[in-house]
Amino acid sequence: MRNAFFLLSLWLFLLPFNTINGQQEIQLDTSECFRKKGNIKQIYYKEGSENRSQPASQPDFTLFLFGDAGNPQCAKPVNSHFYTNLLEHETKSAVLFLGDNVYPNGIPYKSGKKKEIAQAKLEVHLNGLIDYSHRAYFLGGNHDYHKIFKSPKRILAQQQLISSFNQKSKGEIAYRPLNQGGDMVELIEVDTMIGLIVMDSEWAIKKINKRNKIQTLFREPLRNALKQSEKYEYLIIAAHHPMYTVGDHGHEKLPVASEDLHRKK
């Protein structure tokens, strides 16, 4: 049996566009599409990136990656191109959203205008996935939690919205892992030969580090998932925070070491 590990992070991304269905379309603020660098505003996506060509031959399986997709109004051409090609994709595939699905602070649990706007952002993706006949998974990122980190209520609100769309979709749309205040690692079968371990790295960073329970609440579940994954020829490990980077999401905060990502042949 071969080992194949791919650690995915928020740096792999396509940004989406605004196609909201419903009785009244909510206009999303395009000023959020720019970030300041000195006196210059920089757009998040590269012009012309929506015209990237497809592989010359169809692969046996394709995993589509989205990261930092929480401001869908910021890259309409890219998003339109992606969802059009996604529905036309003929081989087996899956979609993985790598966190920060709703900017700036996830979906409020209580009703109100802020919740409507937050839901509208996520619904851009969910509407694009309605006719997708395969699987789509959403991971949590730091922006999916409230900046005042107290509980997973905003994650639960996101799970509820995703679940409501899953009921009317042609395939499967799900939030993983199902964080009920402690579930941070989950093994998913995306294909008979491919296993996917998803981790809620933000919950682990904010909660486990404070309680000093890394070993029992994060590393042990990860090692158990790795052991269970031995039946798969290929294994993908996905989290919002990368293990190694010079950026703010570095491995010094993530409570997992490289020696944890090991399984026997």
Side-chain angles (χ1 to χ4, degrees):
M1 179 181 293
R2 291 178 292 170
N3 281 343
F5 291 93
F6 303 89
L7 188 65
L8 309 178
S9 75
L10 60 91
W11 305 112
L12 301 171
F13 67 91
L14 290 173
L15 290 177
F17 81 127
N18 186 12
T19 53
I20 299 174
N21 295 329
Q23 297 179 353
Q24 183 177 1
E25 180 174 326
I26 296 177
Q27 297 298 321
L28 300 178
D29 185 6
T30 56
S31 68
E32 298 181 36
C33 301
F34 298 86
R35 52 186 172 184
K36 292 183 179 180
K37 185 176 182 180
N39 295 323
I40 302 174
K41 287 186 176 181
Q42 294 184 326
I43 195 163
Y44 280 122
Y45 75 98
K46 183 178 180 181
E47 296 289 351
S49 58
E50 68 274 14
N51 296 320
R52 290 174 180 170
S53 61
Q54 297 294 317
S57 60
Q58 288 286 354
D60 295 329
F61 187 91
T62 302
L63 181 63
F64 296 98
L65 308 175
F66 265 79
D68 277 18
N71 275 333
Q73 70 277 22
C74 300
K76 295 181 181 181
V78 175
N79 195 40
S80 178
H81 178 79
F82 173 77
Y83 282 118
T84 299
N85 282 273
L86 179 66
L87 298 179
E88 296 175 352
H89 195 74
E90 297 179 354
T91 58
K92 293 186 293 185
S93 63
V95 181
L96 182 60
F97 289 79
L98 297 168
D100 286 358
N101 308 316
V102 183
Y103 274 107
N105 296 309
I107 300 177
Y109 201 71
K110 295 181 180 180
S111 301
K113 187 65 175 179
K114 290 183 178 180
K115 182 172 185 175
E116 292 177 1
I117 293 174
Q119 287 180 323
K121 292 182 177 183
L122 187 57
E123 286 171 0
V124 170
H125 304 290
L126 297 175
N127 282 315
L129 294 167
I130 283 290
D131 293 324
Y132 180 57
S133 58
H134 301 288
R135 301 175 180 179
Y137 298 109
F138 289 79
L139 309 184
N142 52 297
H143 282 278
D144 297 304
Y145 288 88
H146 194 279
K147 58 184 177 181
I148 304 175
F149 195 98
K150 292 183 178 180
S151 75
K153 283 188 176 181
R154 298 202 174 206
I155 293 297
L156 297 177
Q158 189 172 148
Q159 290 177 6
Q160 291 172 1
L161 181 59
I162 292 172
S163 178
S164 69
F165 273 78
N166 180 55
Q167 296 174 9
K168 52 187 177 183
S169 68
K170 291 184 178 180
E172 178 186 1
I173 309 175
Y175 184 98
R176 292 291 187 270
L178 284 173
N179 191 328
Q180 303 295 335
D183 298 330
M184 288 164 284
V185 180
E186 182 177 354
L187 174 62
I188 302 170
E189 181 175 286
V190 294
D191 189 67
T192 54
M193 296 178 61
I194 305 172
L196 169 65
I197 292 179
V198 291
M199 303 184 293
D200 189 340
S201 55
E202 178 66 13
W203 181 256
I205 289 169
K206 290 294 177 63
K207 284 296 183 181
I208 296 182
N209 278 352
K210 292 181 180 180
R211 297 177 183 176
N212 195 27
K213 295 182 179 179
I214 296 174
Q215 183 67 27
T216 57
L217 295 183
F218 193 83
R219 286 182 175 168
E220 286 185 9
L222 175 57
R223 288 166 180 166
N224 290 336
L226 287 169
K227 185 176 181 180
Q228 295 171 15
S229 72
E230 291 177 0
K231 63 181 179 180
Y232 300 111
E233 185 170 359
Y234 299 100
L235 178 64
I236 301 167
I237 301 177
H240 180 68
H241 298 77
M243 284 191 62
Y244 300 99
T245 177
V246 296
D248 293 336
H249 295 288
H251 69 286
E252 292 182 358
K253 295 181 180 180
L254 188 60
V256 57
S258 59
E259 57 266 24
D260 295 318
L261 303 179
H262 172 76
R263 62 175 185 173
K264 297 179 180 180
K265 292 184 178 181

PDB file of all heavy atoms in Angstrom, residues 94-125:
ATOM      1  N   ALA A  94     -14.907  15.648  -6.392  1.00  0.00           N
ATOM      2  CA  ALA A  94     -15.426  16.194  -5.140  1.00  0.00           C
ATOM      3  C   ALA A  94     -14.930  17.631  -5.031  1.00  0.00           C
ATOM      4  O   ALA A  94     -13.950  18.015  -5.665  1.00  0.00           O
ATOM      5  CB  ALA A  94     -14.969  15.367  -3.936  1.00  0.00           C
ATOM      6  N   VAL A  95     -15.627  18.421  -4.215  1.00  0.00           N
ATOM      7  CA  VAL A  95     -15.244  19.817  -3.983  1.00  0.00           C
ATOM      8  C   VAL A  95     -14.953  19.981  -2.503  1.00  0.00           C
ATOM      9  O   VAL A  95     -15.698  19.492  -1.651  1.00  0.00           O
ATOM     10  CB  VAL A  95     -16.362  20.785  -4.414  1.00  0.00           C
ATOM     11  CG1 VAL A  95     -15.930  22.235  -4.183  1.00  0.00           C
ATOM     12  CG2 VAL A  95     -16.730  20.572  -5.868  1.00  0.00           C
ATOM     13  N   LEU A  96     -13.869  20.671  -2.188  1.00  0.00           N
ATOM     14  CA  LEU A  96     -13.490  20.894  -0.804  1.00  0.00           C
ATOM     15  C   LEU A  96     -13.253  22.388  -0.572  1.00  0.00           C
ATOM     16  O   LEU A  96     -12.377  22.993  -1.182  1.00  0.00           O
ATOM     17  CB  LEU A  96     -12.220  20.109  -0.473  1.00  0.00           C
ATOM     18  CG  LEU A  96     -11.692  20.195   0.957  1.00  0.00           C
ATOM     19  CD1 LEU A  96     -12.731  19.674   1.944  1.00  0.00           C
ATOM     20  CD2 LEU A  96     -10.389  19.420   1.092  1.00  0.00           C
ATOM     21  N   PHE A  97     -14.075  22.973   0.303  1.00  0.00           N
ATOM     22  CA  PHE A  97     -13.897  24.363   0.710  1.00  0.00           C
ATOM     23  C   PHE A  97     -13.012  24.372   1.959  1.00  0.00           C
ATOM     24  O   PHE A  97     -13.336  23.721   2.956  1.00  0.00           O
ATOM     25  CB  PHE A  97     -15.241  25.018   1.008  1.00  0.00           C
ATOM     26  CG  PHE A  97     -16.067  25.278  -0.223  1.00  0.00           C
ATOM     27  CD1 PHE A  97     -16.791  24.266  -0.824  1.00  0.00           C
ATOM     28  CD2 PHE A  97     -16.111  26.546  -0.795  1.00  0.00           C
ATOM     29  CE1 PHE A  97     -17.549  24.494  -1.957  1.00  0.00           C
ATOM     30  CE2 PHE A  97     -16.865  26.793  -1.926  1.00  0.00           C
ATOM     31  CZ  PHE A  97     -17.583  25.764  -2.519  1.00  0.00           C
ATOM     32  N   LEU A  98     -11.920  25.126   1.914  1.00  0.00           N
ATOM     33  CA  LEU A  98     -10.879  25.028   2.923  1.00  0.00           C
ATOM     34  C   LEU A  98     -10.994  26.035   4.056  1.00  0.00           C
ATOM     35  O   LEU A  98     -10.036  26.270   4.787  1.00  0.00           O
ATOM     36  CB  LEU A  98      -9.515  25.162   2.250  1.00  0.00           C
ATOM     37  CG  LEU A  98      -9.205  24.051   1.250  1.00  0.00           C
ATOM     38  CD1 LEU A  98      -7.984  24.391   0.417  1.00  0.00           C
ATOM     39  CD2 LEU A  98      -9.004  22.730   1.967  1.00  0.00           C
ATOM     40  N   GLY A  99     -12.145  26.616   4.228  1.00  0.00           N
ATOM     41  CA  GLY A  99     -12.350  27.515   5.360  1.00  0.00           C
ATOM     42  C   GLY A  99     -12.386  28.976   4.983  1.00  0.00           C
ATOM     43  O   GLY A  99     -12.046  29.371   3.883  1.00  0.00           O
ATOM     44  N   ASP A 100     -12.827  29.809   5.951  1.00  0.00           N
ATOM     45  CA  ASP A 100     -13.146  31.216   5.706  1.00  0.00           C
ATOM     46  C   ASP A 100     -14.224  31.292   4.629  1.00  0.00           C
ATOM     47  O   ASP A 100     -14.103  32.015   3.641  1.00  0.00           O
ATOM     48  CB  ASP A 100     -11.901  32.012   5.307  1.00  0.00           C
ATOM     49  CG  ASP A 100     -10.979  32.265   6.482  1.00  0.00           C
ATOM     50  OD1 ASP A 100     -11.326  31.858   7.610  1.00  0.00           O
ATOM     51  OD2 ASP A 100      -9.919  32.876   6.286  1.00  0.00           O
ATOM     52  N   ASN A 101     -15.285  30.531   4.849  1.00  0.00           N
ATOM     53  CA  ASN A 101     -16.379  30.430   3.892  1.00  0.00           C
ATOM     54  C   ASN A 101     -17.301  31.634   3.935  1.00  0.00           C
ATOM     55  O   ASN A 101     -18.025  31.884   2.965  1.00  0.00           O
ATOM     56  CB  ASN A 101     -17.194  29.161   4.172  1.00  0.00           C
ATOM     57  CG  ASN A 101     -16.319  27.930   4.255  1.00  0.00           C
ATOM     58  OD1 ASN A 101     -15.435  27.730   3.440  1.00  0.00           O
ATOM     59  ND2 ASN A 101     -16.560  27.101   5.256  1.00  0.00           N
ATOM     60  N   VAL A 102     -17.297  32.349   5.065  1.00  0.00           N
ATOM     61  CA  VAL A 102     -18.154  33.525   5.227  1.00  0.00           C
ATOM     62  C   VAL A 102     -17.374  34.620   5.947  1.00  0.00           C
ATOM     63  O   VAL A 102     -17.042  34.487   7.125  1.00  0.00           O
ATOM     64  CB  VAL A 102     -19.433  33.200   6.034  1.00  0.00           C
ATOM     65  CG1 VAL A 102     -20.325  34.440   6.115  1.00  0.00           C
ATOM     66  CG2 VAL A 102     -20.197  32.041   5.412  1.00  0.00           C
ATOM     67  N   TYR A 103     -17.069  35.676   5.225  1.00  0.00           N
ATOM     68  CA  TYR A 103     -16.398  36.831   5.826  1.00  0.00           C
ATOM     69  C   TYR A 103     -17.435  37.828   6.370  1.00  0.00           C
ATOM     70  O   TYR A 103     -18.547  37.904   5.844  1.00  0.00           O
ATOM     71  CB  TYR A 103     -15.543  37.555   4.777  1.00  0.00           C
ATOM     72  CG  TYR A 103     -14.153  37.009   4.613  1.00  0.00           C
ATOM     73  CD1 TYR A 103     -13.810  36.272   3.486  1.00  0.00           C
ATOM     74  CD2 TYR A 103     -13.181  37.228   5.575  1.00  0.00           C
ATOM     75  CE1 TYR A 103     -12.529  35.773   3.328  1.00  0.00           C
ATOM     76  CE2 TYR A 103     -11.896  36.732   5.422  1.00  0.00           C
ATOM     77  CZ  TYR A 103     -11.581  36.010   4.293  1.00  0.00           C
ATOM     78  OH  TYR A 103     -10.312  35.520   4.143  1.00  0.00           O
ATOM     79  N   PRO A 104     -17.104  38.613   7.405  1.00  0.00           N
ATOM     80  CA  PRO A 104     -15.820  38.587   8.119  1.00  0.00           C
ATOM     81  C   PRO A 104     -15.836  37.686   9.348  1.00  0.00           C
ATOM     82  O   PRO A 104     -14.802  37.264   9.817  1.00  0.00           O
ATOM     83  CB  PRO A 104     -15.628  40.042   8.541  1.00  0.00           C
ATOM     84  CG  PRO A 104     -17.016  40.534   8.763  1.00  0.00           C
ATOM     85  CD  PRO A 104     -17.872  39.830   7.752  1.00  0.00           C
ATOM     86  N   ASN A 105     -17.048  37.378   9.881  1.00  0.00           N
ATOM     87  CA  ASN A 105     -17.137  36.647  11.145  1.00  0.00           C
ATOM     88  C   ASN A 105     -18.192  35.546  11.115  1.00  0.00           C
ATOM     89  O   ASN A 105     -18.927  35.343  12.073  1.00  0.00           O
ATOM     90  CB  ASN A 105     -17.453  37.616  12.298  1.00  0.00           C
ATOM     91  CG  ASN A 105     -16.345  38.617  12.532  1.00  0.00           C
ATOM     92  OD1 ASN A 105     -15.181  38.260  12.668  1.00  0.00           O
ATOM     93  ND2 ASN A 105     -16.702  39.890  12.552  1.00  0.00           N
ATOM     94  N   GLY A 106     -18.254  34.831  10.004  1.00  0.00           N
ATOM     95  CA  GLY A 106     -19.182  33.716   9.933  1.00  0.00           C
ATOM     96  C   GLY A 106     -20.638  34.146   9.890  1.00  0.00           C
ATOM     97  O   GLY A 106     -20.967  35.295   9.590  1.00  0.00           O
ATOM     98  N   ILE A 107     -21.534  33.206  10.200  1.00  0.00           N
ATOM     99  CA  ILE A 107     -22.979  33.454  10.181  1.00  0.00           C
ATOM    100  C   ILE A 107     -23.481  33.631  11.609  1.00  0.00           C
ATOM    101  O   ILE A 107     -23.382  32.709  12.415  1.00  0.00           O
ATOM    102  CB  ILE A 107     -23.737  32.285   9.512  1.00  0.00           C
ATOM    103  CG1 ILE A 107     -23.269  32.113   8.063  1.00  0.00           C
ATOM    104  CG2 ILE A 107     -25.242  32.530   9.561  1.00  0.00           C
ATOM    105  CD1 ILE A 107     -23.917  30.941   7.365  1.00  0.00           C
ATOM    106  N   PRO A 108     -24.020  34.802  11.933  1.00  0.00           N
ATOM    107  CA  PRO A 108     -24.575  34.999  13.282  1.00  0.00           C
ATOM    108  C   PRO A 108     -25.674  33.990  13.569  1.00  0.00           C
ATOM    109  O   PRO A 108     -26.430  33.591  12.676  1.00  0.00           O
ATOM    110  CB  PRO A 108     -25.127  36.426  13.229  1.00  0.00           C
ATOM    111  CG  PRO A 108     -24.354  37.093  12.146  1.00  0.00           C
ATOM    112  CD  PRO A 108     -24.094  36.023  11.123  1.00  0.00           C
ATOM    113  N   TYR A 109     -25.754  33.564  14.811  1.00  0.00           N
ATOM    114  CA  TYR A 109     -26.756  32.565  15.184  1.00  0.00           C
ATOM    115  C   TYR A 109     -28.147  33.192  15.306  1.00  0.00           C
ATOM    116  O   TYR A 109     -29.156  32.562  15.015  1.00  0.00           O
ATOM    117  CB  TYR A 109     -26.355  31.907  16.503  1.00  0.00           C
ATOM    118  CG  TYR A 109     -27.006  30.558  16.725  1.00  0.00           C
ATOM    119  CD1 TYR A 109     -26.610  29.454  15.958  1.00  0.00           C
ATOM    120  CD2 TYR A 109     -27.997  30.381  17.681  1.00  0.00           C
ATOM    121  CE1 TYR A 109     -27.192  28.214  16.142  1.00  0.00           C
ATOM    122  CE2 TYR A 109     -28.586  29.138  17.877  1.00  0.00           C
ATOM    123  CZ  TYR A 109     -28.179  28.052  17.102  1.00  0.00           C
ATOM    124  OH  TYR A 109     -28.767  26.832  17.285  1.00  0.00           O
ATOM    125  N   LYS A 110     -28.173  34.472  15.720  1.00  0.00           N
ATOM    126  CA  LYS A 110     -29.443  35.163  15.890  1.00  0.00           C
ATOM    127  C   LYS A 110     -29.883  35.822  14.588  1.00  0.00           C
ATOM    128  O   LYS A 110     -29.063  36.259  13.787  1.00  0.00           O
ATOM    129  CB  LYS A 110     -29.326  36.208  16.997  1.00  0.00           C
ATOM    130  CG  LYS A 110     -29.062  35.620  18.377  1.00  0.00           C
ATOM    131  CD  LYS A 110     -28.987  36.711  19.437  1.00  0.00           C
ATOM    132  CE  LYS A 110     -28.724  36.116  20.817  1.00  0.00           C
ATOM    133  NZ  LYS A 110     -28.640  37.173  21.864  1.00  0.00           N
ATOM    134  N   SER A 111     -31.204  35.907  14.380  1.00  0.00           N
ATOM    135  CA  SER A 111     -31.761  36.497  13.170  1.00  0.00           C
ATOM    136  C   SER A 111     -31.456  37.987  13.092  1.00  0.00           C
ATOM    137  O   SER A 111     -31.272  38.656  14.110  1.00  0.00           O
ATOM    138  CB  SER A 111     -33.273  36.278  13.128  1.00  0.00           C
ATOM    139  OG  SER A 111     -33.584  34.897  13.150  1.00  0.00           O
ATOM    140  N   GLY A 112     -31.409  38.509  11.870  1.00  0.00           N
ATOM    141  CA  GLY A 112     -31.159  39.925  11.677  1.00  0.00           C
ATOM    142  C   GLY A 112     -30.512  40.172  10.326  1.00  0.00           C
ATOM    143  O   GLY A 112     -30.246  39.242   9.547  1.00  0.00           O
ATOM    144  N   LYS A 113     -30.256  41.450  10.021  1.00  0.00           N
ATOM    145  CA  LYS A 113     -29.691  41.832   8.733  1.00  0.00           C
ATOM    146  C   LYS A 113     -28.307  41.232   8.528  1.00  0.00           C
ATOM    147  O   LYS A 113     -27.973  40.766   7.430  1.00  0.00           O
ATOM    148  CB  LYS A 113     -29.611  43.365   8.652  1.00  0.00           C
ATOM    149  CG  LYS A 113     -29.189  43.876   7.273  1.00  0.00           C
ATOM    150  CD  LYS A 113     -30.237  43.546   6.221  1.00  0.00           C
ATOM    151  CE  LYS A 113     -29.865  44.159   4.876  1.00  0.00           C
ATOM    152  NZ  LYS A 113     -30.868  43.825   3.827  1.00  0.00           N
ATOM    153  N   LYS A 114     -27.482  41.225   9.570  1.00  0.00           N
ATOM    154  CA  LYS A 114     -26.130  40.672   9.445  1.00  0.00           C
ATOM    155  C   LYS A 114     -26.170  39.188   9.097  1.00  0.00           C
ATOM    156  O   LYS A 114     -25.349  38.703   8.321  1.00  0.00           O
ATOM    157  CB  LYS A 114     -25.346  40.903  10.728  1.00  0.00           C
ATOM    158  CG  LYS A 114     -24.974  42.362  10.978  1.00  0.00           C
ATOM    159  CD  LYS A 114     -24.125  42.501  12.236  1.00  0.00           C
ATOM    160  CE  LYS A 114     -23.708  43.947  12.451  1.00  0.00           C
ATOM    161  NZ  LYS A 114     -22.864  44.119  13.671  1.00  0.00           N
ATOM    162  N   LYS A 115     -27.126  38.481   9.676  1.00  0.00           N
ATOM    163  CA  LYS A 115     -27.248  37.062   9.369  1.00  0.00           C
ATOM    164  C   LYS A 115     -27.696  36.857   7.930  1.00  0.00           C
ATOM    165  O   LYS A 115     -27.193  35.958   7.236  1.00  0.00           O
ATOM    166  CB  LYS A 115     -28.240  36.393  10.323  1.00  0.00           C
ATOM    167  CG  LYS A 115     -28.375  34.889  10.086  1.00  0.00           C
ATOM    168  CD  LYS A 115     -29.210  34.214  11.153  1.00  0.00           C
ATOM    169  CE  LYS A 115     -29.227  32.704  10.949  1.00  0.00           C
ATOM    170  NZ  LYS A 115     -29.943  31.997  12.031  1.00  0.00           N
ATOM    171  N   GLU A 116     -28.619  37.698   7.443  1.00  0.00           N
ATOM    172  CA  GLU A 116     -29.099  37.590   6.067  1.00  0.00           C
ATOM    173  C   GLU A 116     -27.957  37.807   5.070  1.00  0.00           C
ATOM    174  O   GLU A 116     -27.842  37.081   4.075  1.00  0.00           O
ATOM    175  CB  GLU A 116     -30.216  38.602   5.824  1.00  0.00           C
ATOM    176  CG  GLU A 116     -31.494  38.309   6.595  1.00  0.00           C
ATOM    177  CD  GLU A 116     -32.555  39.380   6.383  1.00  0.00           C
ATOM    178  OE1 GLU A 116     -32.268  40.329   5.613  1.00  0.00           O
ATOM    179  OE2 GLU A 116     -33.631  39.285   6.978  1.00  0.00           O
ATOM    180  N   ILE A 117     -27.114  38.798   5.331  1.00  0.00           N
ATOM    181  CA  ILE A 117     -25.982  39.073   4.439  1.00  0.00           C
ATOM    182  C   ILE A 117     -24.985  37.919   4.476  1.00  0.00           C
ATOM    183  O   ILE A 117     -24.482  37.477   3.438  1.00  0.00           O
ATOM    184  CB  ILE A 117     -25.293  40.389   4.844  1.00  0.00           C
ATOM    185  CG1 ILE A 117     -26.243  41.574   4.596  1.00  0.00           C
ATOM    186  CG2 ILE A 117     -23.993  40.576   4.060  1.00  0.00           C
ATOM    187  CD1 ILE A 117     -25.720  42.891   5.102  1.00  0.00           C
ATOM    188  N   ALA A 118     -24.703  37.421   5.675  1.00  0.00           N
ATOM    189  CA  ALA A 118     -23.762  36.309   5.814  1.00  0.00           C
ATOM    190  C   ALA A 118     -24.274  35.064   5.106  1.00  0.00           C
ATOM    191  O   ALA A 118     -23.525  34.361   4.417  1.00  0.00           O
ATOM    192  CB  ALA A 118     -23.509  36.022   7.291  1.00  0.00           C
ATOM    193  N   GLN A 119     -25.548  34.772   5.262  1.00  0.00           N
ATOM    194  CA  GLN A 119     -26.134  33.610   4.595  1.00  0.00           C
ATOM    195  C   GLN A 119     -26.094  33.768   3.080  1.00  0.00           C
ATOM    196  O   GLN A 119     -25.851  32.799   2.349  1.00  0.00           O
ATOM    197  CB  GLN A 119     -27.570  33.409   5.063  1.00  0.00           C
ATOM    198  CG  GLN A 119     -27.690  32.872   6.478  1.00  0.00           C
ATOM    199  CD  GLN A 119     -29.132  32.682   6.900  1.00  0.00           C
ATOM    200  OE1 GLN A 119     -30.012  33.488   6.545  1.00  0.00           O
ATOM    201  NE2 GLN A 119     -29.390  31.649   7.653  1.00  0.00           N
ATOM    202  N   ALA A 120     -26.335  34.996   2.608  1.00  0.00           N
ATOM    203  CA  ALA A 120     -26.323  35.243   1.164  1.00  0.00           C
ATOM    204  C   ALA A 120     -24.961  34.931   0.562  1.00  0.00           C
ATOM    205  O   ALA A 120     -24.863  34.431  -0.563  1.00  0.00           O
ATOM    206  CB  ALA A 120     -26.701  36.699   0.880  1.00  0.00           C
ATOM    207  N   LYS A 121     -23.903  35.209   1.298  1.00  0.00           N
ATOM    208  CA  LYS A 121     -22.554  34.904   0.808  1.00  0.00           C
ATOM    209  C   LYS A 121     -22.356  33.406   0.643  1.00  0.00           C
ATOM    210  O   LYS A 121     -21.829  32.937  -0.376  1.00  0.00           O
ATOM    211  CB  LYS A 121     -21.503  35.479   1.760  1.00  0.00           C
ATOM    212  CG  LYS A 121     -21.451  36.997   1.775  1.00  0.00           C
ATOM    213  CD  LYS A 121     -20.365  37.512   2.709  1.00  0.00           C
ATOM    214  CE  LYS A 121     -20.266  39.023   2.652  1.00  0.00           C
ATOM    215  NZ  LYS A 121     -19.178  39.565   3.495  1.00  0.00           N
ATOM    216  N   LEU A 122     -22.774  32.642   1.629  1.00  0.00           N
ATOM    217  CA  LEU A 122     -22.610  31.195   1.542  1.00  0.00           C
ATOM    218  C   LEU A 122     -23.553  30.594   0.502  1.00  0.00           C
ATOM    219  O   LEU A 122     -23.219  29.609  -0.169  1.00  0.00           O
ATOM    220  CB  LEU A 122     -22.858  30.557   2.913  1.00  0.00           C
ATOM    221  CG  LEU A 122     -22.571  29.060   3.027  1.00  0.00           C
ATOM    222  CD1 LEU A 122     -21.131  28.747   2.644  1.00  0.00           C
ATOM    223  CD2 LEU A 122     -22.864  28.564   4.439  1.00  0.00           C
ATOM    224  N   GLU A 123     -24.726  31.185   0.344  1.00  0.00           N
ATOM    225  CA  GLU A 123     -25.702  30.669  -0.611  1.00  0.00           C
ATOM    226  C   GLU A 123     -25.220  30.784  -2.054  1.00  0.00           C
ATOM    227  O   GLU A 123     -25.682  30.053  -2.930  1.00  0.00           O
ATOM    228  CB  GLU A 123     -27.034  31.390  -0.436  1.00  0.00           C
ATOM    229  CG  GLU A 123     -27.790  30.943   0.811  1.00  0.00           C
ATOM    230  CD  GLU A 123     -29.008  31.791   1.105  1.00  0.00           C
ATOM    231  OE1 GLU A 123     -29.266  32.747   0.331  1.00  0.00           O
ATOM    232  OE2 GLU A 123     -29.693  31.509   2.096  1.00  0.00           O
ATOM    233  N   VAL A 124     -24.294  31.695  -2.312  1.00  0.00           N
ATOM    234  CA  VAL A 124     -23.696  31.764  -3.650  1.00  0.00           C
ATOM    235  C   VAL A 124     -23.101  30.410  -4.014  1.00  0.00           C
ATOM    236  O   VAL A 124     -23.327  29.875  -5.100  1.00  0.00           O
ATOM    237  CB  VAL A 124     -22.610  32.860  -3.699  1.00  0.00           C
ATOM    238  CG1 VAL A 124     -21.810  32.772  -4.997  1.00  0.00           C
ATOM    239  CG2 VAL A 124     -23.235  34.236  -3.551  1.00  0.00           C
ATOM    240  N   HIS A 125     -22.345  29.839  -3.095  1.00  0.00           N
ATOM    241  CA  HIS A 125     -21.724  28.533  -3.334  1.00  0.00           C
ATOM    242  C   HIS A 125     -22.754  27.410  -3.322  1.00  0.00           C
ATOM    243  O   HIS A 125     -22.725  26.505  -4.148  1.00  0.00           O
ATOM    244  CB  HIS A 125     -20.668  28.265  -2.275  1.00  0.00           C
ATOM    245  CG  HIS A 125     -19.634  29.332  -2.193  1.00  0.00           C
ATOM    246  ND1 HIS A 125     -18.692  29.537  -3.179  1.00  0.00           N
ATOM    247  CD2 HIS A 125     -19.397  30.274  -1.250  1.00  0.00           C
ATOM    248  CE1 HIS A 125     -17.920  30.543  -2.838  1.00  0.00           C
ATOM    249  NE2 HIS A 125     -18.320  31.010  -1.679  1.00  0.00           N
TER     250      HIS A 125
END
